[in-house]
PDB file of all heavy atoms in Angstrom:
ATOM      1  N   ALA A 272     -38.520 -93.858-132.107  1.00 69.00           N
ATOM      2  CA  ALA A 272     -38.228 -93.885-130.683  1.00 69.00           C
ATOM      3  C   ALA A 272     -39.510 -93.626-129.895  1.00 69.00           C
ATOM      4  O   ALA A 272     -40.271 -92.726-130.212  1.00 69.00           O
ATOM      5  CB  ALA A 272     -37.182 -92.833-130.344  1.00 69.00           C
ATOM      6  N   LYS A 273     -39.719 -94.436-128.897  1.00 76.00           N
ATOM      7  CA  LYS A 273     -40.858 -94.231-128.014  1.00 76.00           C
ATOM      8  C   LYS A 273     -40.507 -93.143-127.015  1.00 76.00           C
ATOM      9  O   LYS A 273     -39.347 -92.832-126.787  1.00 76.00           O
ATOM     10  CB  LYS A 273     -41.165 -95.507-127.242  1.00 76.00           C
ATOM     11  CG  LYS A 273     -41.712 -96.617-128.080  1.00 76.00           C
ATOM     12  CD  LYS A 273     -42.043 -97.794-127.188  1.00 76.00           C
ATOM     13  CE  LYS A 273     -42.633 -98.931-127.966  1.00 76.00           C
ATOM     14  NZ  LYS A 273     -42.960-100.066-127.105  1.00 76.00           N
ATOM     15  N   GLY A 274     -41.511 -92.597-126.413  1.00 76.00           N
ATOM     16  CA  GLY A 274     -41.285 -91.615-125.367  1.00 76.00           C
ATOM     17  C   GLY A 274     -40.742 -92.303-124.122  1.00 76.00           C
ATOM     18  O   GLY A 274     -40.640 -93.529-124.060  1.00 76.00           O
ATOM     19  N   PRO A 275     -40.398 -91.526-123.126  1.00 76.00           N
ATOM     20  CA  PRO A 275     -39.887 -92.112-121.887  1.00 76.00           C
ATOM     21  C   PRO A 275     -40.923 -93.041-121.241  1.00 76.00           C
ATOM     22  O   PRO A 275     -42.121 -92.804-121.300  1.00 76.00           O
ATOM     23  CB  PRO A 275     -39.621 -90.901-121.001  1.00 76.00           C
ATOM     24  CG  PRO A 275     -39.483 -89.756-121.945  1.00 76.00           C
ATOM     25  CD  PRO A 275     -40.364 -90.075-123.111  1.00 76.00           C
ATOM     26  N   SER A 276     -40.431 -94.068-120.594  1.00 84.00           N
ATOM     27  CA  SER A 276     -41.303 -95.057-119.969  1.00 84.00           C
ATOM     28  C   SER A 276     -41.864 -94.526-118.650  1.00 84.00           C
ATOM     29  O   SER A 276     -41.431 -93.501-118.126  1.00 84.00           O
ATOM     30  CB  SER A 276     -40.518 -96.335-119.707  1.00 84.00           C
ATOM     31  OG  SER A 276     -39.505 -96.077-118.748  1.00 84.00           O
ATOM     32  N   LEU A 277     -42.801 -95.271-118.103  1.00 88.00           N
ATOM     33  CA  LEU A 277     -43.389 -94.916-116.812  1.00 88.00           C
ATOM     34  C   LEU A 277     -42.321 -94.921-115.725  1.00 88.00           C
ATOM     35  O   LEU A 277     -42.297 -94.040-114.859  1.00 88.00           O
ATOM     36  CB  LEU A 277     -44.517 -95.893-116.463  1.00 88.00           C
ATOM     37  CG  LEU A 277     -45.162 -95.698-115.099  1.00 88.00           C
ATOM     38  CD1 LEU A 277     -45.859 -94.340-115.026  1.00 88.00           C
ATOM     39  CD2 LEU A 277     -46.140 -96.806-114.818  1.00 88.00           C
ATOM     40  N   GLU A 278     -41.419 -95.905-115.793  1.00 88.00           N
ATOM     41  CA  GLU A 278     -40.346 -95.980-114.805  1.00 88.00           C
ATOM     42  C   GLU A 278     -39.469 -94.723-114.844  1.00 88.00           C
ATOM     43  O   GLU A 278     -39.090 -94.196-113.802  1.00 88.00           O
ATOM     44  CB  GLU A 278     -39.493 -97.216-115.074  1.00 88.00           C
ATOM     45  CG  GLU A 278     -38.397 -97.430-114.058  1.00 88.00           C
ATOM     46  CD  GLU A 278     -37.527 -98.626-114.391  1.00 88.00           C
ATOM     47  OE1 GLU A 278     -37.618 -99.148-115.517  1.00 88.00           O
ATOM     48  OE2 GLU A 278     -36.742 -99.025-113.517  1.00 88.00           O
ATOM     49  N   TYR A 279     -39.189 -94.238-116.048  1.00 86.00           N
ATOM     50  CA  TYR A 279     -38.406 -93.011-116.197  1.00 86.00           C
ATOM     51  C   TYR A 279     -39.109 -91.855-115.497  1.00 86.00           C
ATOM     52  O   TYR A 279     -38.490 -91.092-114.765  1.00 86.00           O
ATOM     53  CB  TYR A 279     -38.209 -92.698-117.678  1.00 86.00           C
ATOM     54  CG  TYR A 279     -37.481 -91.402-117.933  1.00 86.00           C
ATOM     55  CD1 TYR A 279     -36.100 -91.374-118.015  1.00 86.00           C
ATOM     56  CD2 TYR A 279     -38.175 -90.202-118.090  1.00 86.00           C
ATOM     57  CE1 TYR A 279     -35.422 -90.197-118.250  1.00 86.00           C
ATOM     58  CE2 TYR A 279     -37.515 -89.015-118.318  1.00 86.00           C
ATOM     59  CZ  TYR A 279     -36.137 -89.013-118.396  1.00 86.00           C
ATOM     60  OH  TYR A 279     -35.473 -87.842-118.611  1.00 86.00           O
ATOM     61  N   TRP A 280     -40.419 -91.707-115.724  1.00 88.00           N
ATOM     62  CA  TRP A 280     -41.162 -90.588-115.139  1.00 88.00           C
ATOM     63  C   TRP A 280     -41.262 -90.707-113.617  1.00 88.00           C
ATOM     64  O   TRP A 280     -41.277 -89.694-112.911  1.00 88.00           O
ATOM     65  CB  TRP A 280     -42.538 -90.460-115.773  1.00 88.00           C
ATOM     66  CG  TRP A 280     -42.442 -89.891-117.150  1.00 88.00           C
ATOM     67  CD1 TRP A 280     -42.724 -90.530-118.315  1.00 88.00           C
ATOM     68  CD2 TRP A 280     -41.986 -88.585-117.516  1.00 88.00           C
ATOM     69  NE1 TRP A 280     -42.477 -89.699-119.379  1.00 88.00           N
ATOM     70  CE2 TRP A 280     -42.020 -88.499-118.913  1.00 88.00           C
ATOM     71  CE3 TRP A 280     -41.541 -87.480-116.804  1.00 88.00           C
ATOM     72  CZ2 TRP A 280     -41.650 -87.351-119.604  1.00 88.00           C
ATOM     73  CZ3 TRP A 280     -41.170 -86.338-117.494  1.00 88.00           C
ATOM     74  CH2 TRP A 280     -41.226 -86.284-118.877  1.00 88.00           C
ATOM     75  N   VAL A 281     -41.319 -91.919-113.101  1.00 91.00           N
ATOM     76  CA  VAL A 281     -41.344 -92.101-111.641  1.00 91.00           C
ATOM     77  C   VAL A 281     -40.022 -91.616-111.047  1.00 91.00           C
ATOM     78  O   VAL A 281     -40.006 -90.843-110.086  1.00 91.00           O
ATOM     79  CB  VAL A 281     -41.615 -93.579-111.272  1.00 91.00           C
ATOM     80  CG1 VAL A 281     -41.355 -93.838-109.799  1.00 91.00           C
ATOM     81  CG2 VAL A 281     -43.040 -93.953-111.641  1.00 91.00           C
ATOM     82  N   TYR A 282     -38.917 -92.052-111.641  1.00 89.00           N
ATOM     83  CA  TYR A 282     -37.613 -91.591-111.156  1.00 89.00           C
ATOM     84  C   TYR A 282     -37.465 -90.080-111.333  1.00 89.00           C
ATOM     85  O   TYR A 282     -36.957 -89.391-110.452  1.00 89.00           O
ATOM     86  CB  TYR A 282     -36.467 -92.301-111.896  1.00 89.00           C
ATOM     87  CG  TYR A 282     -36.145 -93.651-111.329  1.00 89.00           C
ATOM     88  CD1 TYR A 282     -36.617 -94.812-111.916  1.00 89.00           C
ATOM     89  CD2 TYR A 282     -35.353 -93.770-110.197  1.00 89.00           C
ATOM     90  CE1 TYR A 282     -36.310 -96.058-111.400  1.00 89.00           C
ATOM     91  CE2 TYR A 282     -35.041 -95.008-109.665  1.00 89.00           C
ATOM     92  CZ  TYR A 282     -35.529 -96.149-110.273  1.00 89.00           C
ATOM     93  OH  TYR A 282     -35.228 -97.365-109.747  1.00 89.00           O
ATOM     94  N   PHE A 283     -37.892 -89.561-112.461  1.00 89.00           N
ATOM     95  CA  PHE A 283     -37.793 -88.127-112.713  1.00 89.00           C
ATOM     96  C   PHE A 283     -38.556 -87.350-111.649  1.00 89.00           C
ATOM     97  O   PHE A 283     -38.063 -86.365-111.101  1.00 89.00           O
ATOM     98  CB  PHE A 283     -38.341 -87.805-114.111  1.00 89.00           C
ATOM     99  CG  PHE A 283     -38.227 -86.361-114.479  1.00 89.00           C
ATOM    100  CD1 PHE A 283     -37.083 -85.886-115.082  1.00 89.00           C
ATOM    101  CD2 PHE A 283     -39.255 -85.469-114.225  1.00 89.00           C
ATOM    102  CE1 PHE A 283     -36.956 -84.556-115.431  1.00 89.00           C
ATOM    103  CE2 PHE A 283     -39.141 -84.138-114.565  1.00 89.00           C
ATOM    104  CZ  PHE A 283     -37.987 -83.681-115.171  1.00 89.00           C
ATOM    105  N   THR A 284     -39.777 -87.804-111.327  1.00 90.00           N
ATOM    106  CA  THR A 284     -40.599 -87.110-110.336  1.00 90.00           C
ATOM    107  C   THR A 284     -39.945 -87.146-108.963  1.00 90.00           C
ATOM    108  O   THR A 284     -39.911 -86.126-108.259  1.00 90.00           O
ATOM    109  CB  THR A 284     -42.000 -87.750-110.282  1.00 90.00           C
ATOM    110  OG1 THR A 284     -42.570 -87.696-111.593  1.00 90.00           O
ATOM    111  CG2 THR A 284     -42.897 -87.037-109.307  1.00 90.00           C
ATOM    112  N   LEU A 285     -39.426 -88.306-108.574  1.00 91.00           N
ATOM    113  CA  LEU A 285     -38.768 -88.408-107.273  1.00 91.00           C
ATOM    114  C   LEU A 285     -37.545 -87.495-107.186  1.00 91.00           C
ATOM    115  O   LEU A 285     -37.337 -86.804-106.187  1.00 91.00           O
ATOM    116  CB  LEU A 285     -38.362 -89.855-106.999  1.00 91.00           C
ATOM    117  CG  LEU A 285     -39.517 -90.830-106.754  1.00 91.00           C
ATOM    118  CD1 LEU A 285     -38.987 -92.258-106.672  1.00 91.00           C
ATOM    119  CD2 LEU A 285     -40.259 -90.465-105.486  1.00 91.00           C
ATOM    120  N   ILE A 286     -36.738 -87.494-108.232  1.00 89.00           N
ATOM    121  CA  ILE A 286     -35.539 -86.641-108.243  1.00 89.00           C
ATOM    122  C   ILE A 286     -35.936 -85.175-108.245  1.00 89.00           C
ATOM    123  O   ILE A 286     -35.326 -84.346-107.563  1.00 89.00           O
ATOM    124  CB  ILE A 286     -34.644 -86.994-109.435  1.00 89.00           C
ATOM    125  CG1 ILE A 286     -34.072 -88.391-109.242  1.00 89.00           C
ATOM    126  CG2 ILE A 286     -33.525 -85.976-109.618  1.00 89.00           C
ATOM    127  CD1 ILE A 286     -33.419 -88.972-110.468  1.00 89.00           C
ATOM    128  N   PHE A 287     -36.986 -84.829-108.979  1.00 89.00           N
ATOM    129  CA  PHE A 287     -37.467 -83.451-109.023  1.00 89.00           C
ATOM    130  C   PHE A 287     -37.903 -82.992-107.632  1.00 89.00           C
ATOM    131  O   PHE A 287     -37.539 -81.903-107.180  1.00 89.00           O
ATOM    132  CB  PHE A 287     -38.626 -83.347-110.019  1.00 89.00           C
ATOM    133  CG  PHE A 287     -39.263 -81.993-110.072  1.00 89.00           C
ATOM    134  CD1 PHE A 287     -38.597 -80.925-110.637  1.00 89.00           C
ATOM    135  CD2 PHE A 287     -40.527 -81.801-109.564  1.00 89.00           C
ATOM    136  CE1 PHE A 287     -39.175 -79.681-110.690  1.00 89.00           C
ATOM    137  CE2 PHE A 287     -41.121 -80.555-109.621  1.00 89.00           C
ATOM    138  CZ  PHE A 287     -40.444 -79.489-110.179  1.00 89.00           C
ATOM    139  N   ILE A 288     -38.657 -83.833-106.922  1.00 91.00           N
ATOM    140  CA  ILE A 288     -39.135 -83.476-105.587  1.00 91.00           C
ATOM    141  C   ILE A 288     -37.969 -83.328-104.610  1.00 91.00           C
ATOM    142  O   ILE A 288     -37.939 -82.400-103.798  1.00 91.00           O
ATOM    143  CB  ILE A 288     -40.157 -84.520-105.095  1.00 91.00           C
ATOM    144  CG1 ILE A 288     -41.441 -84.391-105.917  1.00 91.00           C
ATOM    145  CG2 ILE A 288     -40.450 -84.366-103.613  1.00 91.00           C
ATOM    146  CD1 ILE A 288     -42.438 -85.506-105.707  1.00 91.00           C
ATOM    147  N   VAL A 289     -36.988 -84.216-104.719  1.00 89.00           N
ATOM    148  CA  VAL A 289     -35.823 -84.144-103.832  1.00 89.00           C
ATOM    149  C   VAL A 289     -34.979 -82.905-104.152  1.00 89.00           C
ATOM    150  O   VAL A 289     -34.370 -82.309-103.267  1.00 89.00           O
ATOM    151  CB  VAL A 289     -34.985 -85.439-103.939  1.00 89.00           C
ATOM    152  CG1 VAL A 289     -33.643 -85.312-103.259  1.00 89.00           C
ATOM    153  CG2 VAL A 289     -35.773 -86.604-103.359  1.00 89.00           C
ATOM    154  N   SER A 290     -34.956 -82.477-105.417  1.00 87.00           N
ATOM    155  CA  SER A 290     -34.141 -81.318-105.802  1.00 87.00           C
ATOM    156  C   SER A 290     -34.796 -79.978-105.488  1.00 87.00           C
ATOM    157  O   SER A 290     -34.139 -78.950-105.583  1.00 87.00           O
ATOM    158  CB  SER A 290     -33.830 -81.284-107.280  1.00 87.00           C
ATOM    159  OG  SER A 290     -33.839 -82.469-107.892  1.00 87.00           O
ATOM    160  N   LEU A 291     -36.074 -79.968-105.148  1.00 88.00           N
ATOM    161  CA  LEU A 291     -36.744 -78.696-104.871  1.00 88.00           C
ATOM    162  C   LEU A 291     -36.096 -77.900-103.729  1.00 88.00           C
ATOM    163  O   LEU A 291     -35.893 -76.693-103.877  1.00 88.00           O
ATOM    164  CB  LEU A 291     -38.239 -78.920-104.606  1.00 88.00           C
ATOM    165  CG  LEU A 291     -39.081 -79.105-105.857  1.00 88.00           C
ATOM    166  CD1 LEU A 291     -40.497 -79.490-105.474  1.00 88.00           C
ATOM    167  CD2 LEU A 291     -39.083 -77.871-106.725  1.00 88.00           C
ATOM    168  N   PRO A 292     -35.762 -78.514-102.586  1.00 88.00           N
ATOM    169  CA  PRO A 292     -35.114 -77.716-101.536  1.00 88.00           C
ATOM    170  C   PRO A 292     -33.784 -77.102-101.983  1.00 88.00           C
ATOM    171  O   PRO A 292     -33.501 -75.940-101.680  1.00 88.00           O
ATOM    172  CB  PRO A 292     -34.904 -78.712-100.395  1.00 88.00           C
ATOM    173  CG  PRO A 292     -35.911 -79.780-100.628  1.00 88.00           C
ATOM    174  CD  PRO A 292     -36.073 -79.861-102.120  1.00 88.00           C
ATOM    175  N   ALA A 293     -32.987 -77.859-102.714  1.00 84.00           N
ATOM    176  CA  ALA A 293     -31.719 -77.308-103.209  1.00 84.00           C
ATOM    177  C   ALA A 293     -31.992 -76.194-104.211  1.00 84.00           C
ATOM    178  O   ALA A 293     -31.278 -75.190-104.246  1.00 84.00           O
ATOM    179  CB  ALA A 293     -30.882 -78.405-103.849  1.00 84.00           C
ATOM    180  N   GLY A 294     -33.024 -76.366-105.020  1.00 80.00           N
ATOM    181  CA  GLY A 294     -33.400 -75.310-105.959  1.00 80.00           C
ATOM    182  C   GLY A 294     -33.829 -74.043-105.239  1.00 80.00           C
ATOM    183  O   GLY A 294     -33.524 -72.934-105.676  1.00 80.00           O
ATOM    184  N   LEU A 295     -34.530 -74.198-104.129  1.00 83.00           N
ATOM    185  CA  LEU A 295     -34.948 -73.040-103.338  1.00 83.00           C
ATOM    186  C   LEU A 295     -33.738 -72.307-102.776  1.00 83.00           C
ATOM    187  O   LEU A 295     -33.650 -71.074-102.860  1.00 83.00           O
ATOM    188  CB  LEU A 295     -35.875 -73.482-102.201  1.00 83.00           C
ATOM    189  CG  LEU A 295     -36.286 -72.402-101.211  1.00 83.00           C
ATOM    190  CD1 LEU A 295     -37.109 -71.325-101.911  1.00 83.00           C
ATOM    191  CD2 LEU A 295     -37.060 -73.002-100.056  1.00 83.00           C
ATOM    192  N   VAL A 296     -32.793 -73.053-102.231  1.00 85.00           N
ATOM    193  CA  VAL A 296     -31.586 -72.433-101.670  1.00 85.00           C
ATOM    194  C   VAL A 296     -30.807 -71.711-102.771  1.00 85.00           C
ATOM    195  O   VAL A 296     -30.388 -70.554-102.591  1.00 85.00           O
ATOM    196  CB  VAL A 296     -30.706 -73.498-100.972  1.00 85.00           C
ATOM    197  CG1 VAL A 296     -29.350 -72.923-100.601  1.00 85.00           C
ATOM    198  CG2 VAL A 296     -31.419 -74.035 -99.747  1.00 85.00           C
ATOM    199  N   ASN A 297     -30.622 -72.353-103.903  1.00 79.00           N
ATOM    200  CA  ASN A 297     -29.897 -71.718-105.011  1.00 79.00           C
ATOM    201  C   ASN A 297     -30.632 -70.493-105.524  1.00 79.00           C
ATOM    202  O   ASN A 297     -30.016 -69.502-105.903  1.00 79.00           O
ATOM    203  CB  ASN A 297     -29.679 -72.714-106.151  1.00 79.00           C
ATOM    204  CG  ASN A 297     -28.623 -73.727-105.828  1.00 79.00           C
ATOM    205  OD1 ASN A 297     -27.709 -73.449-105.067  1.00 79.00           O
ATOM    206  ND2 ASN A 297     -28.748 -74.899-106.390  1.00 79.00           N
ATOM    207  N   TRP A 298     -31.951 -70.540-105.545  1.00 78.00           N
ATOM    208  CA  TRP A 298     -32.739 -69.398-106.000  1.00 78.00           C
ATOM    209  C   TRP A 298     -32.575 -68.218-105.040  1.00 78.00           C
ATOM    210  O   TRP A 298     -32.407 -67.076-105.467  1.00 78.00           O
ATOM    211  CB  TRP A 298     -34.204 -69.807-106.110  1.00 78.00           C
ATOM    212  CG  TRP A 298     -35.109 -68.685-106.483  1.00 78.00           C
ATOM    213  CD1 TRP A 298     -35.180 -68.057-107.693  1.00 78.00           C
ATOM    214  CD2 TRP A 298     -36.059 -68.053-105.640  1.00 78.00           C
ATOM    215  NE1 TRP A 298     -36.135 -67.076-107.652  1.00 78.00           N
ATOM    216  CE2 TRP A 298     -36.688 -67.068-106.393  1.00 78.00           C
ATOM    217  CE3 TRP A 298     -36.446 -68.254-104.322  1.00 78.00           C
ATOM    218  CZ2 TRP A 298     -37.695 -66.254-105.882  1.00 78.00           C
ATOM    219  CZ3 TRP A 298     -37.442 -67.450-103.804  1.00 78.00           C
ATOM    220  CH2 TRP A 298     -38.050 -66.470-104.575  1.00 78.00           C
ATOM    221  N   LEU A 299     -32.605 -68.506-103.736  1.00 82.00           N
ATOM    222  CA  LEU A 299     -32.433 -67.440-102.751  1.00 82.00           C
ATOM    223  C   LEU A 299     -31.034 -66.829-102.844  1.00 82.00           C
ATOM    224  O   LEU A 299     -30.872 -65.611-102.739  1.00 82.00           O
ATOM    225  CB  LEU A 299     -32.684 -67.976-101.336  1.00 82.00           C
ATOM    226  CG  LEU A 299     -34.142 -68.321-101.024  1.00 82.00           C
ATOM    227  CD1 LEU A 299     -34.241 -69.028 -99.681  1.00 82.00           C
ATOM    228  CD2 LEU A 299     -35.009 -67.081-101.064  1.00 82.00           C
ATOM    229  N   ILE A 300     -30.023 -67.655-103.038  1.00 82.00           N
ATOM    230  CA  ILE A 300     -28.662 -67.145-103.209  1.00 82.00           C
ATOM    231  C   ILE A 300     -28.582 -66.334-104.494  1.00 82.00           C
ATOM    232  O   ILE A 300     -27.924 -65.291-104.553  1.00 82.00           O
ATOM    233  CB  ILE A 300     -27.644 -68.305-103.207  1.00 82.00           C
ATOM    234  CG1 ILE A 300     -27.570 -68.918-101.819  1.00 82.00           C
ATOM    235  CG2 ILE A 300     -26.272 -67.837-103.671  1.00 82.00           C
ATOM    236  CD1 ILE A 300     -26.774 -70.202-101.739  1.00 82.00           C
TER     237      ILE A 300
END
């Protein structure tokens, strides 16, 4: 099995950046 593709990492990075604010709120709670 090959590692994740570049497209996978692009989507992962975008989702990670979008999830940071929700992660901050959950962390504060």
Side-chain angles (χ1 to χ4, degrees):
K273 291 183 178 180
S276 65
L277 176 64
E278 183 183 12
Y279 177 89
W280 286 113
V281 168
Y282 277 100
F283 182 88
T284 303
L285 291 173
I286 293 168
F287 176 71
I288 290 170
V289 169
S290 334
L291 280 173
L295 174 64
V296 170
N297 286 331
W298 176 70
L299 290 172
I300 291 171

